[in-house]
Amino acid sequence: MELKIRNGAYIADGIGGERRADGAEALLERALFRLSVRRGSFPFLPELGSELYRLGHEKPSARAAAAKLYTAAALAEETALTVEDVPAPEVLSLLLNSLYAMDALGKSPKLCKPVFELKMMALSGFEPDLTCCTVCGGEPEEPRLHLKQGALHCSGCRAALGEGISMPLDAACLAAMRHVLYGDPKRLFAFRLAEESLNRMSAACEAYVLTQLERGFRTLDFYKSVRCMNEPS
C-alpha cells in the first residue's frame, strides 16, 4: 500500500493521517513518483527517478526515442508495467519548447501558458478559426472569440452565433493568437504583448480550453494558487 502524493505533498485523509492507495492505484502512484522525481535526487537511491528533464537538450528528431528510453529506465523496477511507446511526439515537442522558452529564453509563464493552451488545442483537433469574422467575412474591428463555436467574430455579428460566451480580444492579442496557430512553429514564442493584450489572450485561451473540453483541471487550480501567492498584493 502506497501513500498518495500530489504536488509534492502527501494527501491528508481528513482524520489526521495520509491517504493510501493499493492495487492498480498504488502502481500508478509509484509510476508517477518515479517519473516526476529527478534521478539522482536521493543520494542513497541513485537509480530512483527519471532523466526526462534532459529531453530539452536532445535534438528534436531524437526526443521521442529519448523519452521512451528515459521512461523505460525510470520504470524498470515496476515489472507489471511495459513501456511500448511515448505517444504524440508533436505534443511532447510543444511541451519541451514551452519549458525551454521559460528556462532559456526568459519568457514568462504568463505568456507561455496561453501559447501552449492554444497550440495544444490545435494539435488535438480543436483549432479555432481566427482567419476572419465567421459571420461577415471581414476583419473585425472589435474582435471577439465565441468559445463554444471556436469562431472569431465582430462585436456587431455576435447575435448570429447564438448562445454561448464570447471573449473580447484586441488587435494585438488577435495577431499573437494567429501567430501561434498559423506562424512558423520554430518562432512560436517570438512575440511580445502589452500587459492588457496578454491578459486578454490568457483569459481567452484558458476559457476556450475549459469550454471545449467541458471540464476543469486541478493542476490549473494549483497553478493559479501559486501565481496568486507570488503576485504582489
Side-chain angles (χ1 to χ4, degrees), residues 43-67:
F44 297 103
L45 296 170
E47 300 303 314
L48 178 63
S50 79
E51 295 180 280
L52 288 170
Y53 66 90
R54 297 176 55 185
L55 284 176
H57 302 289
E58 301 285 351
K59 294 180 179 179
S61 59
R63 285 175 180 172

Side-chain angles (χ1 to χ4, degrees), residues 13 19 23 38 179 196-197:
D13 61 5
R19 292 178 58 186
R38 183 170 177 150
H179 170 81
E196 182 178 353
S197 296

Side-chain angles (χ1 to χ4, degrees), residues 124-139:
S124 303
F126 294 91
E127 180 177 319
D129 182 4
L130 303 183
T131 54
C132 60
C133 175
T134 302
V135 180
C136 71
E139 180 67 15

Side-chain angles (χ1 to χ4, degrees), residues 80-216:
L81 294 176
T82 301
V83 179
E84 296 181 353
D85 196 9
V86 178
E90 66 280 2
V91 175
L92 174 62
S93 178
L94 173 62
L95 174 61
L96 293 172
N97 287 338
S98 300
L99 295 173
Y100 179 82
M102 289 186 286
D103 181 46
L105 303 181
K107 298 293 184 178
S108 71
K110 191 172 183 179
L111 183 143
C112 293
K113 176 179 172 289
V115 170
F116 177 85
E117 290 170 335
L118 185 58
K119 194 66 174 180
M120 178 70 174
M121 292 299 284
L123 292 173
S124 303
F126 294 91
E127 180 177 319
D129 182 4
L130 303 183
T131 54
C132 60
C133 175
T134 302
V135 180
C136 71
E139 180 67 15
E141 292 186 3
E142 298 181 23
R144 302 181 70 90
L145 174 64
H146 194 284
L147 300 180
K148 188 174 182 180
Q149 300 291 340
L152 178 68
H153 64 87
C154 310
S155 59
C157 296
R158 171 66 184 84
L161 290 174
E163 297 181 355
I165 297 174
S166 285
M167 298 290 290
L169 310 176
D170 59 31
C173 168
L174 177 57
M177 294 172 72
R178 284 171 170 169
H179 170 81
V180 171
L181 291 179
Y182 313 130
D184 183 352
K186 294 181 180 179
R187 297 181 55 80
L188 189 63
F189 297 93
F191 68 91
R192 294 182 180 181
L193 280 177
E195 189 73 13
E196 182 178 353
S197 296
L198 181 56
N199 288 338
R200 292 193 177 206
M201 180 178 177
S202 181
C205 290
E206 181 179 306
Y208 182 67
V209 170
L210 297 177
T211 299
Q212 290 292 318
L213 300 185
E214 298 181 332
R215 55 163 294 188

